[in-house]
Amino acid sequence: QVPDAVAAGDRLEVWLLDEPEKWRNPHLEFLLEESADAVSRLRAEGKTVLLHCVAAQSRTPTVAAVYSMRHLGVDGESATREVCAALPYAHPNRAFAAVLADLGAAR
């Protein structure tokens, strides 16, 4: 679903399952942090970054909130609230919400 105008070298795929069971996404916190860090690196290169998942309900808002916390200095509660306000159907699953809470508490 990526437009042909986006070069293959400008695409980054992350395998993140929208499943609340912890065993479905081993090392979930690491994967979310690495995804947010990749967004930051690409933005630092001057690239426009588009996050995409099937419905923008759980994965996309979670990565966006982690990016806001790690790279924009937004606290966890505000990051989640602001992303969910921008994506009205957003509702991170319980595993993702737990990581957001843990990362927010660590700040």
Side-chain angles (χ1 to χ4, degrees), residues 1-2 7 10 20 60 72 93 98 103:
Q1 295 179 337
V2 177
D10 285 338
T60 293
L72 302 179
N93 72 44
L103 290 173

Short mmCIF file of all heavy atoms in Angstrom, two decimals, residues 1-2 7 10 20 60 72 93 98 103:
data_model
loop_
_atom_site.label_atom_id
_atom_site.label_comp_id
_atom_site.label_asym_id
_atom_site.label_seq_id
_atom_site.Cartn_x
_atom_site.Cartn_y
_atom_site.Cartn_z
N GLN A 1 0.80 -1.19 0.00
CA GLN A 1 0.00 0.00 0.00
C GLN A 1 0.85 1.26 0.00
O GLN A 1 0.36 2.33 0.27
CB GLN A 1 -0.93 0.01 1.20
CG GLN A 1 -1.97 -1.09 1.18
CD GLN A 1 -2.86 -1.07 2.40
OE1 GLN A 1 -2.48 -0.55 3.43
NE2 GLN A 1 -4.02 -1.63 2.28
N VAL A 2 2.11 1.12 -0.31
CA VAL A 2 3.00 2.28 -0.39
C VAL A 2 2.99 2.77 -1.84
O VAL A 2 3.16 1.98 -2.76
CB VAL A 2 4.44 1.90 0.04
CG1 VAL A 2 5.37 3.08 -0.10
CG2 VAL A 2 4.43 1.37 1.47
N ALA A 7 10.51 5.43 -3.08
CA ALA A 7 11.57 4.48 -3.45
C ALA A 7 11.69 3.36 -2.41
O ALA A 7 11.47 3.59 -1.21
CB ALA A 7 12.89 5.21 -3.58
N ASP A 10 13.51 4.02 0.70
CA ASP A 10 12.89 4.95 1.65
C ASP A 10 11.76 4.29 2.43
O ASP A 10 10.97 4.98 3.07
CB ASP A 10 12.35 6.18 0.92
CG ASP A 10 13.47 7.10 0.49
OD1 ASP A 10 14.56 7.03 1.07
OD2 ASP A 10 13.25 7.90 -0.44
N PRO A 20 -2.52 -8.48 22.00
CA PRO A 20 -2.26 -8.08 23.39
C PRO A 20 -1.44 -9.08 24.21
O PRO A 20 -0.94 -8.74 25.27
CB PRO A 20 -3.66 -7.92 23.98
CG PRO A 20 -4.51 -8.84 23.16
CD PRO A 20 -3.91 -8.83 21.79
N THR A 60 0.12 2.12 14.97
CA THR A 60 0.51 3.47 14.57
C THR A 60 0.47 4.46 15.73
O THR A 60 1.45 5.17 15.97
CB THR A 60 -0.36 3.96 13.39
OG1 THR A 60 -0.06 3.15 12.25
CG2 THR A 60 -0.12 5.41 13.07
N LEU A 72 10.47 14.16 21.57
CA LEU A 72 9.89 15.49 21.68
C LEU A 72 9.71 15.92 23.13
O LEU A 72 9.25 17.03 23.39
CB LEU A 72 8.55 15.56 20.95
CG LEU A 72 8.58 15.21 19.45
CD1 LEU A 72 7.18 15.28 18.87
CD2 LEU A 72 9.55 16.11 18.70
N ASN A 93 -3.72 -1.56 22.15
CA ASN A 93 -4.11 -2.76 22.89
C ASN A 93 -3.43 -2.76 24.26
O ASN A 93 -2.55 -1.95 24.54
CB ASN A 93 -3.82 -4.03 22.08
CG ASN A 93 -2.35 -4.37 21.95
OD1 ASN A 93 -1.60 -4.31 22.91
ND2 ASN A 93 -1.94 -4.74 20.75
N ALA A 98 0.47 -0.87 28.17
CA ALA A 98 1.35 -1.13 29.31
C ALA A 98 2.76 -0.60 29.04
O ALA A 98 3.38 0.00 29.93
CB ALA A 98 1.40 -2.63 29.62
N LEU A 103 6.98 3.38 29.91
CA LEU A 103 7.89 4.39 29.37
C LEU A 103 7.57 5.77 29.95
O LEU A 103 8.47 6.54 30.24
CB LEU A 103 7.82 4.43 27.85
CG LEU A 103 8.40 3.22 27.11
CD1 LEU A 103 8.11 3.33 25.62
CD2 LEU A 103 9.89 3.10 27.36
#
